[in-house]
Amino acid sequence: MKFLRQEVDAAVDVLLLQQVILYPTDTVWGLGCDAEALPAVKQLYELKGRPEGQPSIVLVADLAMMKRYAAKVPDDIEKLLAEQSRPTTYILPASRAVAPSLVAPDGTVGLRVVKDEFCFNVVRRLGHGLVSTSANKAGEPTPAVYAEIDPVILRGVDHVVNWRQDDATRVAPSRVVALGEGGQLEVVRE
């Protein structure tokens, strides 16, 4: 547990400096930064080679943090979060708290309440949402495990988290649902 705490502390220290980390998420290896730090988001997008208008998701610790970044959430969101059996990203109308480049052209943001122990502790300690995008150049395959990460990405980040680097477990991408016109959630990706 001490090692986990040290890795969380090291990651948060870098995030507080508005820099980019490489870290294991609840699905794949990801690039991340503070969701409210515009310079860090810009640095992350440059490293990834991601064009404008293709936002990344934001990991949050709980419903309160989700509400900070979403202008509107479904009425039954608490029940939905309690019942979900796998990581689920919710596409919701964005609030002004999230960095503008994380907002899609339609005014939405992808938010996921994270249950992974490492990610949860980082987000909780940071106190802000954590940008989460796959650790690859735009258009390249997503690295499911650490060994698949391109050396260019490894050299381009400010900090590489030393947690689960030997884990070869492959996890499916998150389920994605969006808030539809009538306030109902619609499945975008199962």
Side-chain angles (χ1 to χ4, degrees), residues 25-107:
T25 73
D26 51 348
T27 55
V28 298
W29 274 81
L31 297 171
C33 65
D34 183 333
E36 296 183 31
L38 194 53
V41 174
K42 183 177 179 186
Q43 177 188 346
L44 184 149
Y45 275 34
E46 286 173 3
L47 172 61
K48 188 166 174 77
R50 183 171 226 148
E52 290 290 324
Q54 289 186 347
S56 299
I57 68 166
V58 178
L59 301 181
V60 295
D62 52 30
L63 179 57
M65 194 176 280
M66 179 183 264
K67 288 180 176 179
R68 175 181 177 143
Y69 297 113
K72 180 180 177 168
V73 298
D75 293 336
D76 58 348
I77 191 71
E78 261 185 286
K79 178 181 176 223
L80 294 168
L81 291 172
E83 291 176 350
Q84 72 188 33
S85 59
R86 64 184 262 217
T88 302
T89 300
Y90 295 85
I91 309 297
L92 303 169
S95 76
R96 295 178 189 255
V98 69
S101 52
L102 296 173
V103 178
D106 67 356

Side-chain angles (χ1 to χ4, degrees), residues 7-19:
E7 286 303 308
V8 168
D9 290 347
V12 172
D13 288 348
V14 172
L15 294 167
L16 289 171
L17 293 172
Q18 296 190 5
Q19 295 178 335

